[in-house]
Amino acid sequence: MTSPSPLAPLLSAIAKGDVDALERLYRLSSPKLYGLALRILRRPELAQDALKATYVRIWRDAKRMPAGMDPLCWVATVARDSALDIARTTEDAGEAWEPFEVEEPAEDPLARDGHSDDLRRFLGCLGKLSEERRRMILLAYYDGWSREALSVYFDAPMHTVNTWLKRSVVEIDEHLAQ
């Protein structure tokens, strides 16, 4: 996708009925939004349906985008909501809810020899966090997710995500200091 600044004028133009602006927005954002929908739905045909629903909603609701909201975050939220709506109405949606499920278990990296004591201490501290905070820390600092993506995934405002991340890092630091 692109930085949020080019999206604001496109969404403004879409709110005024500019079809060309919708096409430009689609070219800029569809690969990432499709990926987001696919991660939730796990089936390409359902992700395509979610993507179509996303741009219909953007066309319909662009004029109602909350003032001051990051356009990229809003577009991603619309995509997420479209995918979740499809997941809720699909009979075999049970598989769509857990993006961390793996079909074949991988080798446990902690079971291997050769980890440093510092790494073991860090992983122990990470294990003391709640499941949600641990997942957020790993997505942010290990997988490289942006704050906007975390905000959409955890269905929380971006400032809340930032606060949770900071508090979690402080907790880890405190545990390491002991």
Side-chain angles (χ1 to χ4, degrees):
M1 219 170 316
T2 182
S3 65
S5 56
L7 298 185
L10 286 176
L11 289 170
S12 178
I14 291 168
K16 295 174 186 168
D18 186 345
V19 176
D20 292 332
L22 182 65
E23 183 180 332
R24 286 192 304 275
L25 177 71
Y26 179 84
R27 281 195 312 265
L28 287 172
S29 62
S30 62
K32 293 289 184 180
L33 296 182
Y34 174 77
L36 175 66
L38 186 60
R39 182 148 183 144
I40 293 170
L41 295 166
R42 294 179 173 225
R43 291 181 33 204
E45 68 277 5
L46 294 178
Q48 290 169 356
D49 291 344
L51 195 62
K52 290 174 193 170
T54 297
Y55 289 101
V56 168
R57 287 179 180 182
I58 289 171
W59 176 256
R60 184 189 65 214
D61 297 339
K63 58 184 149 260
R64 290 190 292 267
M65 184 179 92
M69 185 172 191
D70 183 306
L72 177 60
C73 188
W74 183 74
V75 168
T77 300
V78 172
R80 175 188 166 273
D81 290 347
S82 296
L84 290 176
D85 287 347
I86 289 175
R88 286 183 195 109
T89 60
T90 303
E91 285 186 27
D92 59 348
E95 295 178 21
W97 294 104
E98 181 52 55
F100 296 97
E101 183 180 301
V102 292
E103 294 187 17
E104 293 182 28
E107 175 189 344
D108 181 3
L110 296 178
R112 293 182 298 176
D113 292 333
H115 288 299
S116 71
D117 289 335
D118 289 338
L119 178 59
R120 284 194 183 109
R121 283 187 48 214
F122 171 73
L123 292 173
C125 295
L126 195 59
K128 292 180 181 181
L129 296 176
S130 70
E131 175 65 29
E132 182 177 63
R133 298 281 174 89
R134 182 171 48 251
R135 183 176 287 178
M136 186 179 291
I137 287 285
L138 291 173
L139 289 173
Y141 298 110
Y142 184 73
D143 289 340
W145 283 31
S146 69
R147 300 304 189 261
E148 291 88 0
L150 291 169
S151 174
V152 170
Y153 182 78
F154 288 96
D155 196 23
M158 202 163 19
H159 67 275
T160 302
V161 168
N162 287 331
T163 301
W164 288 345
L165 285 170
K166 287 177 187 174
R167 287 181 183 166
S168 297
V169 169
V170 167
E171 280 184 52
I172 290 170
D173 285 341
E174 289 173 355
H175 287 294
L176 286 173
Q178 295 175 354

